[in-house]
Coordinates of all heavy atoms in Angstrom, one line a residue:
T33 N 106.3 93.9 113.1 CA 106.4 94.0 114.6 C 106.0 95.5 115.1 O 106.0 95.7 116.3 CB 107.9 93.8 115.1 OG1 108.8 94.7 114.5 CG2 108.4 92.4 114.8
A58 N 111.0 92.2 109.4 CA 111.2 93.4 110.1 C 112.7 93.7 110.1 O 113.4 93.1 109.4 CB 110.6 93.2 111.5
S59 N 113.1 94.6 111.0 CA 114.5 95.0 111.0 C 115.3 93.9 111.6 O 114.8 93.0 112.3 CB 114.7 96.3 111.8 OG 114.3 96.0 113.2
P60 N 116.7 93.8 111.4 CA 117.4 92.7 111.9 C 117.3 92.5 113.5 O 117.3 91.4 113.9 CB 118.9 93.1 111.6 CG 118.7 93.9 110.3 CD 117.4 94.7 110.5
R61 N 117.1 93.6 114.2 CA 117.0 93.5 115.7 C 115.7 92.7 116.1 O 115.6 92.2 117.2 CB 117.0 94.8 116.4 CG 115.8 95.7 116.1 CD 115.9 97.0 116.9 NE 114.8 97.9 116.6 CZ 114.7 98.7 115.6 NH1 115.8 98.8 114.7 NH2 113.7 99.5 115.4
S62 N 114.7 92.6 115.2 CA 113.5 91.9 115.5 C 113.5 90.5 114.9 O 112.6 89.7 115.2 CB 112.3 92.6 115.0 OG 112.1 93.9 115.6
A63 N 114.5 90.2 114.1 CA 114.5 88.8 113.5 C 114.6 87.8 114.5 O 115.3 87.9 115.6 CB 115.7 88.7 112.5
G64 N 113.9 86.7 114.3 CA 113.8 85.5 115.3 C 112.7 85.5 116.2 O 112.3 84.5 116.7
R65 N 112.1 86.7 116.3 CA 110.8 86.7 117.2 C 109.7 85.9 116.4 O 109.8 85.7 115.2 CB 110.3 88.2 117.3 CG 111.1 89.1 118.2 CD 110.6 90.5 118.3 NE 109.2 90.5 118.7 CZ 108.4 91.6 118.8 NH1 108.9 92.7 118.5 NH2 107.1 91.5 119.2
E75 N 108.0 82.9 112.4 CA 109.2 83.5 112.8 C 109.4 84.7 111.9 O 109.3 84.7 110.7 CB 110.3 82.5 112.6 CG 111.7 83.1 113.1 CD 112.8 82.1 113.2 OE1 112.5 81.0 113.4 OE2 114.0 82.5 113.0
V76 N 109.9 85.9 112.5 CA 110.1 87.0 111.8 C 111.4 87.0 111.1 O 112.5 86.6 111.8 CB 110.1 88.2 112.8 CG1 110.5 89.5 112.0 CG2 108.7 88.4 113.3
L77 N 111.6 87.4 109.9 CA 112.8 87.4 109.1 C 113.4 88.8 109.0 O 112.6 89.8 109.0 CB 112.6 86.8 107.7 CG 111.9 85.5 107.6 CD1 111.6 85.1 106.1 CD2 112.8 84.4 108.3
A78 N 114.7 88.9 108.9 CA 115.3 90.2 108.7 C 115.1 90.7 107.3 O 115.3 90.0 106.4 CB 116.8 90.1 109.1
L79 N 114.9 92.0 107.2 CA 114.7 92.6 105.9 C 115.9 92.5 105.0 O 117.1 92.8 105.5 CB 114.4 94.1 106.1 CG 114.1 94.9 104.7 CD1 112.9 94.3 103.9 CD2 113.8 96.4 105.1

Side-chain angles (χ1 to χ4, degrees):
T33 59
S59 64
R61 67 177 178 274
S62 296
R65 288 180 57 184
E75 184 173 330
V76 176
L77 305 177
L79 180 59

